[in-house]
Amino acid sequence: MAKPVLMPKQGITVEQCVLTKWHKKVGEHISVGEVLFSYETDKSAFDQESEVEGEVLALLFDEGAEVPVLVPVCVVGAKGEDISEFTGKATQAAPTETPAAPVTTAAAPAAPVATDAKPVLMPKQGITVEQCVLTKWHKKVGEHISVGEVLFSYETDKAAFDQESEVEGEILAQFYKDGDEVPVLVPVCAVGKKGDDVSPFAPNANAQGSAAPAEAKAVEVTAASAPAQTAASAKPATENGKVFASPRAKHLAEKLGVDLAACDATGPKGRIVEKDVRTASVNGAKAATESAPAEAKTIAEVKAPAADVRAYTEEKMSNMRKVIAKNMMNSLSSMAQLTHNISFDCTNIIALRAFIKANAERLGLPNITFNDIILYAVSRVILNHKALNANLVNGDTMRYFSSANLGIAVDTPKGLLVPVLFGAERMSLKEIAVNAKKLAKEAQAGTLKPDLMSGGSFTVSNIGVYGIESFTPVINPPQTGILGVCALETRVKIGANGEIVPYQAMTLSLTYDHRALDGSPASKFLKELKEYLENFSYNVIFD
């Protein structure tokens, strides 16, 4: 059976690679471990070794083409096999010196086929969402689905959703698997009557990074992760004590701490290839035991078992965690971030909060927290400092907001989310307290609407509850600043008569984008915020 070879994904931030050179032509034979093509990311260059054996049936991209990751770049199989599912052509591609040009859009087949089947698209939840993770199918191929039944569940980087079917019929095809990242507005399955043609809806590789069909991806994963069933395994070939191994296999062995001599070789002429090292790594404990001298094993048995002190478990990062990691790396690598710290005397706001707690029922007030008070103060002060109440767009355009649209960093079971409190400067302290808690509750429950997680002008992140006395918050792009709120600390000051007076203080940590503003205006914002909080008026209760 013909098999596609996909462009590897080298790192979580890599979306496409440049195919720099083909080492095989259409019609030539390729063995496992032979270099098939070379490619580059924006950081490094790689040689891709073949993990299948056969004839090169088609090259789908030219040298120099930018190829999305996890998209087929060529097809390998037996001479005469049908490869139309990979090339989009009705017949097998003839050998050619000029490979087919890359598909740049998710184009429909050249000759549309009449069909009553209907595609179900991945919804677009919010204007900034480009792809979603398909977390679970609730129906299988061949099962019947009615209008209103849940078809599948999916996640954005902010929330989780259930997709109800808007059509009735049989599930004819599913183009993605649980856990796949799916571009928005791309067909994820097809529904219709048994026998309807679904080929017009199968997603094709495209320059925007849409994934290859699930079947093709499954082939690649299987080939990469499991030992080849057809390749003969043997001890590696050696010469003068040196083990024959590919450069990539040597590099991976050094990285994983695998002894090349303990690997079974499946490459040509007893050569160790990259997947042999991965296989040995999975069975590392066995390899280490077999290769160790008998005396060393006896000593190890006398000591405490190595597994007791080196035991560990591994878990894949959640998709939301991956997105957060990508966003944080993007923030730090694309901005000139600097943090200023200032502390203020909390005596006044502590007394105010105690008064509110004692009179909450009489005044009809909810629970007012220190964070609510700080959000109120920030909403009044930030409008005097427009460079902080702003977004820096495309690295050269400042977007100044007329309202204080405050992002509130919320810790949730799935990771950090930042819902936005729009128009906070027009809200009373009571309204800020009620709305901020409502946003936090919805974020933690995963029911927050996507439109409430974008459009913020400035963010407040409070980790004082954990006793943190100072930290460096990371800016939420494209905003130009973020305020970190820290824990209460007991400090002392000199009283009016020279006595030592203890008091409660709190540190505020402002990280700002030095491209958008300098240290002086950033410091002026902190100074004004400090003075506002130290002179917080009881009149705010009655606003």
Side-chain angles (χ1 to χ4, degrees), residues 327-343:
N327 290 342
M328 292 299 97
M329 285 297 296
N330 176 59
S331 175
L332 290 171
S333 63
S334 63
M335 293 187 188
Q337 299 193 25
L338 190 64
T339 302
H340 289 187
N341 298 299
I342 198 169
S343 61

Side-chain angles (χ1 to χ4, degrees), residues 231-304:
S233 297
K235 286 299 177 184
T238 59
E239 181 177 344
N240 298 327
K242 293 184 178 180
V243 179
F244 286 150
S246 70
R248 292 183 65 183
K250 291 178 181 178
H251 175 75
L252 183 62
E254 182 179 355
K255 180 179 178 181
L256 299 179
V258 172
D259 182 5
L260 287 172
C263 299
D264 287 333
T266 62
K269 299 180 181 179
R271 188 171 183 237
I272 294 173
V273 294
E274 189 177 21
K275 72 186 181 97
D276 300 331
V277 177
R278 294 189 186 279
T279 302
S281 176
V282 172
N283 303 317
K286 179 180 177 182
T289 301
E290 292 177 350
S291 61
E295 180 181 354
K297 287 195 286 185
T298 302
I299 294 174
E301 290 168 0
V302 173
K303 298 179 180 179

